[in-house]
Amino acid sequence: ATTARTRIVRQATPNVSAGERGLAVRMLQRMLDDKGYVVGKQGVYDARTQRAVLAFRKVTRRAKNTSADSSVFRALRRGEGTFKVRFPNHGRHMEGDVDRQVIALIKDGKAERIYHSSPGAPATPTIRGSFWVYRKDPGTNALGMYRSVYFIRGYAVRSEEHTSELQSRSSS
C-alpha cells in the first residue's frame, strides 16, 4: 500500500528596507516594472525604487510611505496596482490622478511609466483638464524646477533627476 504524504510549503514574503540589496529587491523591482512603475538600479532598494513603491501604494490606496513590506509583495503577486487609464484612445499622452497623487505616461492605451506626484501649493492649486504641452525646458529654471514641461499659463509637470512630480507652479 502506498501512503500519500502531504508537504506544506510556505512562501516567504519579504520586507525590504532602504539600501538593501539582493534577490527580494530584484523580485520587487521586476513586479513593479511589469506594472509600469519606474524603478532604480537593479537589485538595490534605492530612492528611485522607494518612489516606485510610494506610487504603487498610492494607486492601491495604501498608506503613503516607501515601505516595501509583505503587504506590498502580496498585492503585487495578486496583480494589484494597475493604473486605470481614463483615455485609452488618446494616443501617447500623460494622465494624472490628482486624488491619488500619481501621474502616468500612456502609450497604446496602457500606462508605460508611473510616478508619484505632488499637488500644487495652496496659492497655485493643481488644475484639472485636458491640455497641450506648449514648452519644454531643459535644465533647471528660475524656480528650481528641473526639466519642466509647461501645459497652461505657467503650470508645469517637472522632473527631478530620478522622478517626475506634478508641480503646479505659476510662473507669473
Side-chain angles (χ1 to χ4, degrees):
T2 305
T3 305
R5 298 178 116 185
T6 302
R7 180 174 281 176
I8 297 173
V9 177
R10 292 196 175 134
Q11 182 174 1
T13 306
N15 292 311
V16 177
S17 302
E20 197 167 324
R21 299 170 181 267
L23 180 61
V25 176
R26 285 193 303 276
M27 183 173 71
L28 172 69
Q29 289 173 321
R30 188 187 74 246
M31 290 188 292
L32 287 167
D33 183 64
D34 287 349
K35 290 282 185 187
Y37 296 92
V38 179
V39 298
K41 184 176 179 183
Q42 186 176 5
V44 180
Y45 194 57
D46 57 7
R48 194 175 204 180
T49 302
Q50 289 175 51
R51 287 189 294 270
V53 169
L54 176 60
F56 172 81
R57 286 177 155 280
K58 288 177 174 185
V59 168
T60 58
R61 297 197 185 272
R62 288 176 162 66
K64 293 177 184 174
N65 62 52
T66 60
S67 173
D69 59 16
S70 59
S71 71
V72 169
F73 280 86
R74 282 193 303 270
L76 282 163
R77 280 198 303 267
R78 284 192 303 266
E80 294 179 24
T82 301
F83 182 89
K84 292 185 185 348
V85 178
R86 293 182 58 208
F87 304 101
N89 298 320
H90 282 199
R92 188 169 174 251
H93 67 283
M94 182 175 65
E95 292 186 14
D97 184 329
V98 177
D99 296 329
R100 291 185 179 161
Q101 299 182 339
V102 292
I103 59 173
L105 304 180
I106 312 301
K107 183 177 177 185
D108 299 326
K110 182 181 176 211
E112 189 174 67
R113 297 173 71 88
I114 305 166
Y115 302 92
H116 89 93
S117 64
S118 301
T124 56
T126 301
I127 58 173
R128 297 171 189 244
S130 181
F131 309 97
W132 292 95
V133 168
Y134 67 87
R135 188 174 93 209
K136 295 180 181 180
D137 286 348
T140 304
N141 70 12
L143 297 172
M145 294 168 51
Y146 181 68
R147 294 177 53 188
S148 303
V149 178
Y150 295 87
F151 57 92
I152 186 171
R153 296 186 316 266
Y155 284 83
V157 173
R158 66 132 184 226
S159 176
E160 293 182 0
E161 285 189 312
H162 298 295
T163 188
S164 292
E165 295 182 0
L166 187 60
Q167 183 70 28
S168 300
R169 292 192 183 178
S170 177
S171 60
S172 55

